[in-house]
Every structure is written in structure tokens, then in C-alpha cells.
Amino acid sequence: MPNPDEIFGAYVFDDAMMQRRLPKETYRALKRTTEEGRSLDPAIAGVVANAMKDWALEMGATHYTHWFQPMNGVTAEKHDAFISPKADGKVLLEFSGKELVRGETDASSFPSGGLRATFEARGYTAWDPSSFAFIKEGTLCIPTAYCSYGGQALDKKTPLLRSMQALNKQALRILRLFGNDRVVRVVPTVGAEQEYFLIDKEVYRRRPDLMVTGRTLFGARPPKGQELDDHFFGVIKPRVQAFMKELNTELWKLGILAKTEHNEAAPAQHEMAPIFTTVNIAADHNQLTMDIMKKVADRHGMVCLLHEKPFGGVNGSGKHNNYSIATDSGVNLLNPGDTPSENAQFLLFLTAVIAAVDEYQELLRVTVASAGNDHRLGAAEAPPAIMSIFLGDELNGVIESIVSESRYAGHEPSQMRLGVHILPKFPKDSTDRNRTSPFAFTGNKFEFRSLGSSQSISGPNVVLNTAIADVLMHMADELEKAQDFTTAVDALIRRTLRAHKRIIFNGNGYDQAWVEEAERRGLSNLRTTVDALPHYTDDKNIALFERQKVYSRLEVESRCEVKIENYIKIIDIEALSTIDVARRMILPAAIAYSGEVASALQAKRAVMPDLAAAEEPLLKRLSIHTSELYNAIEALHKALQDMDTTQPMIAQAQYTRDCVVPAMNAVRASADALEPLVGEKHWPLPTYQELLTSI
Ligand code: ADP
Ligand code: MG
């Protein structure tokens, strides 16, 4: 295998490639465009497109596509060949600037939440030149944003780019106040750790529930689960090792900085962490990573499961969104600095994050709400549904002393004037292993841990960028008017921390006592997706998005609707699949096995009428659970039929949560009770044991 440095970025039309292939002037113009976050001049687009096409053809590509991320959180591509017809019946290989910069697409079947009626189905895609084009399976992919002709964002990239702009603008105002004149651009940086399961393809194929819904809808507890904790960071099996090796190679070719790989807590569970990068690129890369994980697994006779909860009773999968804010020269604004002024600046940004998370806690909860994630949040394996911030002892001490104007670590109270305060370096110590916190400070960044493994990271980062931008805006408004900057910063930080310190929680988030404590503090506890989603359109949240020009009211409402609809659809598919598997596989198996036991009993009774026979109590138990199962299936069926589709979406979602989900769980409960009773030869589904040890 070639060295990583030889293959890294080989399939990407990256900066080095552009520099090599573009005329100097064009390259510089393009660079300016991306650095200053402006839109692309059509004059240079043609030159770039041509160079890109030549490169792609040399790399063996025949098609190009505008690669985009519709609101359903997956990626979409429509492939076009480079060919155009010539008069002599031959073809010309062409790719114009227009085709690079803007594509038209009839994408009426993508969810739009009513934003785009199907009769005006066309939308257009526009290249995001800050994310490089790349080649995937013979196709040149151009990362694009996707909008309607009315200019409404129909995708996940557009709002992310808008939110980056908002944050850039406000963060620059703050930096200028600190005398930072040279910084041109501020960007959010993200490293997204991705968890996933690998199971054998043959075993997978015998689980229709898993194939249809991405998770097992049935399965009794295996004799050996994760009780022994022997999987976490354990030795990686050869088949998995081979998968990881190829995955890394594929990701490196695409310029994705795949860095860390290890086994996770559950059996068959693993994690991949890339090195962080600018958030829009991180979002593109994470989508690609999920895509490529599935494809590589397939080539190795395995299936990669990205669902948040593939197996009941076994840890599910999440995604950790490591977040910070950096300047164009690479200075991390959430890193405590070496001078008092840098430290005041750090504390101001830190305070802004704290205020933003507290102020918009419901909105952040909304961004991680999904049917899949409902199995995790608050289930003592993932963070609680309550938003809170973990700071660690040391930083918490600093914050406490600021709030109470008392001494910290030997400094006299008078020295706590922020302008002259020297902060300690916060070591990335073991305290960040408080895995129960949804939002933890880990030395020089925050780790937002509530994301579901299959979701796009765009939504959470849109809200983080926007909320932080908004807090910074109010701070800048105040500080720009101040007579004495140092005093004003000092007062502003103290006042803001006092107002928002309720969001800071350094204890055990799995503890029931925290739920009560959080309630006393007035923090919201939005337990399920259905509880959370209506907050998307709270006046306060729409006002935030409009103020920062990230979403219009219509765009928020449409996204909210897409999310609610998605929840209903997912549970509906799960319920139908539950009925299907239970009726056609499990019930017949239980009946057949009961018949066998009954015949055995009858035969035994014929020769030994008075002796005790295990068949009898077994048959009784089988019969009880079988009829339970039958009734539960009928009840689930009825629950689905009784759904009133004339009701508003949110009411349907509530009904789904309150009536369909419990009915589905009841079917599973009786099926899972049957599983250990029914003979192995009769049981139609691979067991959890088989699934989790299939590799
Ligand atoms: P761990 O969480 O296992 O201790 P690290 O803290 O080193 O590992 O990093 C976890 C993730 O955080 C990685 O993806 C890493 O690139 C990312 N990360 C590190 N620094 C930053 C930063 N300044 N901004 C965003 N992400 C970062
Ligand atoms: Mg981590």
C-alpha cells in the first residue's frame, strides 16, 4: 500500500491541485473568493471548470454531479456525463463555468416542508467553492448548496454557510475591540467522531427488520452483552482491521483526515475520528465518511449500521461534535492564551458559548431530536435530554470566582479583575471523561455529545454558530459604546455568567437527582422528539434566525415540518415491519414449535400418563406468550388504523409516540419472551448473540 502522504487528497481538486492547474490570476481570484467568503465571479468559473474537467478525465471520471444535502439529511447526486454532441455525430467533452457554478435540478421528491410546491419543482444548486470538488466512483462531485428559485434554502449547506457568515461578522467585531486588526476571517472548526456497528452481511440478510428499518425490532438479551466491558479499546479483529485499513485509504484519497480508530463500548461497535476542520467541510466530510463506511463494509462482506440504536439493551451509537472557533491564522479562540488580554478574550468567547447554550437550549435539543435518537438521550448511555455544560473543576473554579468576586487559586479578590488575570492552562485531563455531559469543555473546545450517529452535523452547528453569533452581537453592541473597555468587559462577563450559570453542571448527568435539580434551575427537559420539535418555531427562535439572517420564518417552519413528518414516517415503517415480521415469521414459529411440544406431550402421556412432563408447563408458557403476541399484533394494527390523518402533523406525531410506539414495544416484549422458549431450529431470526458476534 502506498504511504498515506502519497494518496492523501489524490481524488480531490484541492488547493495544491488548483495552484498547479490554474493560471495564476484565476487561482488568486478564486482564493480571494473563498477566503473572504464571497460568491464566484462567472469570468473565472469557466477557467476553473475547464481545469477541473481535464483533471477529472485524467483521473478516469466520465461524469460530474452537483453533490448536495437535502433536508432529509442524506446526500443526493444526479450524474451528468461530460459529453455534448458535435455536428459530425461525435461528442465533445465539455464542462462549462455555468455548469460548475450552478445546476438545475428537478428535485420535487425531496422533502421541502411545503417550501416548494411540486408544480414549481425546480431548484438550483450552487457550488460552495470553500469545499473542494472530489472524485467518487468515477464521478466528479461538486459540493453545492441547494435553493429554490425563490432563494429559499432547501438543503443543509446553505444555512450552515449563512450561520458561518453571521458568526464571522460578530466575532470579528469582538476581535477588533481587543485590538486584533489583522484577522480577516473567523471560522467554526469541528471534528466529528463517528460511531458505528459492523455485522456480517449473511446474518444481516436474515433480519428483515434490520434491513427495512436499520435497527432490530426484536431480540432477547444475549447471555453475554457488554457486561464485561471487554470490547472497549479491545484488540481489533482481523476482518475489522482490514475494513478500517481500506476505509482510511478511501477517506484519505478524498482528503478526509481520518485519524483515530478503536472499538467502542458495545460488542461489534467501533469509532472513527477525523482531525478537525472548518465546519462546512467537516459536514461534507462526515456525510462522505458515512457513505464510504457503508460501501467499504459491503466490499468486506459486512454491513455498517449507522442507526442510533440497532440493538435494544446494547449501547447505541452517537456522534461527538467537537466544536471551536478559530481565526484565519489558526488561533483557537477557545484556548486560554498566554497574556492577560488573550485570557480576557478567551473568557469572553467562553462566556458567549455558555450564554448561547443556555439561552437556546431548546433549539439545541431540537437539532438532535429524531426517532432514532429517542432511544438514546436520557437512557443512561448517552447524555440526558436536558442540555447542560460541563466545565471541569479548574475552569469551574475560575467561573465561580468571577461570579462571586472571590479569590481563585491564591489570587487576591482584587486581582480577579479580568483585564489583569492570568489564567492557568487547562489540561485536557481525565475530568473530561465525564461522559454524561451533553456539552463538555475539553481544554480548548467544546464537545457536543448528543448527536445521533446517522444524522448530519449541519443542524447542530447551524444553531451553535447562530446562537453564539447573536450573543457576540449583543456583547459587541455594548462594548463598542463603552468608555473604559477593560472595566466594561469585566462587568459584561460577570453579569452574563451570573445570568447563565444555571446551565453549568459538573456532576453525573445519569443521576435521577440531576433531573430534579435541573427542574429547580428552570432548565428544560424535552424527553422525546415530539416534546422537542414544536420549540423549533418558538417566537424567540425564529427571531434569532431572522436577526442573524440564517433562516426566514418560512424556512424554519418548513424544516420543523420535515422533521415532524420524518418522525411519523419512521415509526410507521417500524410498526409495519414489526407487524410483518411478527405475523409471518415469529407467530408461525411459535405455533409450529408449540405443536411439536404438544405432540411430544401427547405421545408421552400415552405411555406414561402419571409422570410429570416438562412439555406441559412449557406448552403453557408458550401458549400464554403466543396469544399475548397475537393480541399485541392486533392492537398495533388497530393503533395504526386509528391514526387520524386529518389532525395537524404534531398531533399525529404525539399519537404516534403515545399509542403506536407502546403498541410496538408490546409486540416486541411478547416476541422476546418467546425467543428463549422456542427451539433453535424453529426460531426464524438470528439472535442477538449471532448478530453481535457475527464478525
Ligand atoms: P478525545 O476526545 O478522544 O480525547 P481529542 O480531544 O484529541 O480526542 O479529539 C477529539 C476530536 O476533537 C478530534 O476529531 C479532534 O480533531 C477534534 N478537535 C481537536 N481540537 C479541535 C478544535 N480546536 N476544534 C474542533 N475540533 C477539535
Ligand atoms: Mg471525544
Side-chain angles (χ1 to χ4, degrees):
M1 201 186 85
N3 285 331
D5 63 332
E6 285 166 37
I7 54 167
F8 190 80
Y11 284 60
V12 186
F13 197 66
D14 59 10
D15 197 59
M17 195 52 74
M18 291 197 216
Q19 199 161 4
R20 182 145 15 120
R21 294 207 169 227
L22 293 175
K24 263 205 184 67
E25 263 320 295
T26 313
Y27 172 75
R28 269 200 227 111
L30 184 62
K31 235 5 217 173
R32 266 199 307 278
T33 304
T34 51
E35 272 164 10
E36 291 162 24
R38 288 185 294 113
S39 57
L40 192 63
D41 177 352
I44 62 168
V47 185
V48 178
N50 203 49
M52 223 184 238
K53 179 205 68 186
D54 289 344
W55 169 76
L57 290 172
E58 279 168 38
M59 297 294 293
T62 51
H63 288 66
Y64 70 91
T65 180
H66 278 200
W67 183 79
F68 62 101
Q69 300 163 33
M71 286 194 249
N72 56 7
V74 296
T75 54
E77 32 195 273
K78 172 178 143 247
H79 296 191
D80 281 302
F82 285 117
I83 52 169
S84 342
K86 280 202 301 186
D88 61 2
K90 301 258 184 244
V91 292
L92 198 67
L93 295 175
E94 249 187 1
F95 185 47
S96 69
K98 222 177 95 225
E99 285 167 315
L100 164 65
V101 172
R102 184 166 165 146
E104 279 189 38
T105 175
D106 172 3
S108 48
S109 49
F110 291 118
S112 72
L115 263 190
R116 176 180 29 66
T118 31
F119 60 82
E120 41 171 350
R122 283 180 319 162
Y124 69 90
T125 50
W127 182 32
D128 162 18
S130 64
S131 189
F132 301 130
F134 57 89
I135 292 173
K136 187 165 68 89
E137 281 129 25
T139 297
L140 172 68
C141 300
I142 300 146
T144 50
Y146 174 43
C147 296
S148 76
Y149 270 93
Q152 286 121 341
L154 295 171
D155 69 341
K156 295 194 164 266
K157 188 188 267 283
T158 311
L160 185 57
L161 294 174
R162 289 179 189 158
S163 72
M164 288 169 71
Q165 233 164 39
L167 183 65
N168 176 50
K169 183 171 165 195
Q170 304 306 335
L172 280 178
R173 286 175 70 195
I174 298 286
L175 290 179
R176 299 285 183 259
L177 285 165
F178 278 95
N180 234 316
D181 291 323
R182 284 218 294 278
V183 177
V184 182
R185 195 153 182 244
V186 172
V187 294
T189 53
V190 165
E193 302 167 54
Q194 177 71 48
E195 291 183 342
Y196 60 96
F197 279 85
L198 285 177
I199 61 166
D200 187 82
K201 207 195 289 182
E202 291 312 312
V203 185
Y204 171 82
R205 287 216 175 107
R206 290 190 280 129
R207 290 291 307 219
D209 50 349
L210 198 49
M211 290 176 69
V212 172
T213 69
R215 74 181 183 98
T216 54
L217 302 171
F218 300 96
R221 236 184 126 79
K224 177 174 180 287
Q226 65 197 58
E227 294 82 6
L228 297 177
D229 267 334
D230 50 0
H231 188 71
F232 192 54
F233 282 14
V235 180
I236 299 174
K237 291 180 181 142
R239 246 178 113 184
V240 174
Q241 190 79 66
F243 160 86
M244 286 177 171
K245 193 170 159 186
E246 189 178 330
L247 175 66
N248 282 337
T249 308
E250 291 301 314
L251 294 178
W252 288 337
K253 281 186 197 162
L254 289 170
I256 298 172
L257 291 152
K259 170 90 171 158
T260 315
E261 53 194 25
H262 60 76
N263 290 350
E264 260 301 327
Q269 192 183 31
H270 311 278
E271 182 188 288
M272 196 289 287
I275 296 173
F276 70 95
T277 178
T278 308
V279 64
N280 62 320
I281 297 168
D284 287 355
H285 283 181
N286 183 251
Q287 291 299 138
L288 274 174
T289 299
M290 292 193 285
D291 185 10
I292 288 169
M293 277 178 167
K294 287 186 184 160
K295 289 189 171 131
V296 173
D298 186 64
R299 292 205 281 271
H300 288 255
M302 301 188 286
V303 177
C304 173
L305 305 177
L306 291 170
H307 193 283
E308 281 74 19
K309 194 74 177 177
F311 307 101
V314 176
N315 263 18
S317 301
K319 186 136 54 189
H320 290 174
N321 190 80
N322 293 274
Y323 179 96
S324 193
I325 306 170
T327 67
D328 49 352
S329 51
V331 175
N332 179 352
L333 296 174
L334 290 176
N335 205 10
D338 293 325
T339 65
S341 136
E342 282 170 0
N343 285 328
Q345 185 182 294
F346 159 74
L347 281 172
L348 189 69
F349 277 99
L350 181 83
T351 302
V353 175
I354 293 171
V357 172
D358 183 38
E359 195 67 36
Y360 297 101
Q361 46 181 291
E362 292 89 2
L363 203 47
L364 278 169
R365 173 68 184 86
V366 165
T367 68
V368 295
S370 69
N373 226 9
D374 273 5
H375 298 284
R376 300 177 62 242
L377 299 181
E381 59 163 270
I386 307 163
M387 282 301 304
S388 67
I389 294 180
F390 171 85
L391 290 178
D393 292 342
E394 212 156 351
L395 187 52
N396 198 51
V398 174
I399 299 294
E400 279 297 329
S401 68
I402 293 172
V403 166
S404 61
E405 294 181 72
S406 61
R407 43 187 285 149
Y408 167 73
H411 294 272
E412 289 306 313
S414 61
Q415 275 188 282
M416 275 310 299
R417 285 278 308 256
L418 292 166
V420 293
H421 185 56
I422 309 279
L423 288 178
K425 283 275 183 209
F426 303 108
K428 282 194 7 171
D429 64 346
S430 53
T431 52
D432 94 72
R433 294 302 164 212
N434 180 333
R435 295 242 148 216
T436 70
S437 175
F439 206 88
F441 185 72
T442 53
N444 58 2
K445 63 182 186 296
F446 279 97
E447 189 169 342
F448 187 14
R449 296 179 174 139
S450 310
L451 282 72
S453 49
S454 69
Q455 81 170 94
S456 156
I457 64 167
S458 294
N461 288 301
V462 166
V463 170
L464 282 175
N465 295 342
T466 310
I468 295 168
D470 200 61
V471 174
L472 291 175
M473 180 185 84
H474 289 115
M475 287 177 156
D477 287 348
E478 180 175 329
L479 293 175
E480 281 167 1
K481 288 192 214 105
Q483 302 288 328
D484 173 10
F485 178 66
T486 312
T487 315
V489 170
D490 196 1
L492 175 61
I493 291 179
R494 183 168 289 120
R495 196 181 73 231
T496 312
L497 286 175
R498 277 183 182 155
H500 295 287
K501 80 190 251 284
R502 63 170 185 170
I503 198 76
I504 298 168
F505 174 63
N506 293 296
N508 179 4
Y510 295 171
D511 203 339
Q512 179 55 29
W514 168 231
V515 176
E516 289 148 30
E517 163 75 16
E519 194 178 336
R520 276 194 296 277
R521 293 189 190 186
L523 300 176
S524 44
N525 183 4
L526 303 169
R527 280 185 207 87
T528 66
T529 296
V530 181
D531 294 317
L533 289 183
H535 289 282
Y536 212 166
T537 52
D538 285 353
D539 287 343
K540 170 179 149 185
N541 295 333
I542 290 190
L544 167 76
F545 285 131
E546 290 192 328
R547 207 162 44 238
Q548 296 304 327
K549 301 187 170 53
V550 170
Y551 289 128
S552 63
R553 170 179 284 274
L554 209 63
E555 285 172 330
V556 182
E557 286 170 351
S558 67
R559 272 166 179 78
C560 186
E561 198 168 311
V562 167
K563 268 181 173 276
I564 296 175
E565 217 180 294
N566 196 40
Y567 174 83
I568 299 171
K569 276 187 191 155
I570 286 174
I571 309 278
D572 191 52
I573 294 170
E574 287 182 353
L576 290 171
S577 178
T578 297
I579 293 176
D580 186 57
V581 173
R583 267 196 189 143
R584 300 192 315 113
M585 297 176 83
I586 298 177
L587 202 56
I591 292 169
Y593 184 63
S594 302
E596 209 166 89
V597 176
S599 319
L601 181 62
Q602 208 173 23
K604 221 180 227 180
R605 286 280 187 255
V607 287
M608 303 183 294
D610 304 323
L611 269 188
E615 288 84 348
E616 193 177 316
L618 177 59
L619 189 58
K620 259 195 198 136
R621 288 177 67 192
L622 282 166
S623 299
I624 290 169
H625 292 305
T626 308
S627 79
E628 254 174 32
L629 177 64
Y630 180 82
N631 293 336
I633 297 170
E634 292 311 302
L636 175 56
H637 184 77
K638 185 164 176 346
L640 284 180
Q641 275 186 332
D642 288 350
M643 171 119 153
D644 183 354
T645 50
T646 62
Q647 290 287 308
M649 276 294 180
I650 189 66
Q652 291 183 45
Q654 274 156 2
Y655 176 85
T656 301
R657 178 196 59 190
D658 298 336
C659 301
V660 180
V661 171
M664 201 159 77
N665 292 342
V667 175
R668 177 177 185 152
S670 20
D672 288 359
L674 279 169
E675 188 184 312
L677 301 179
V678 173
E680 195 196 343
K681 281 199 213 89
H682 287 78
W683 195 253
L685 300 169
T687 62
Y688 267 24
Q689 187 74 22
E690 234 183 310
L691 283 162
L692 291 168
T693 58
S694 62
I695 303 297

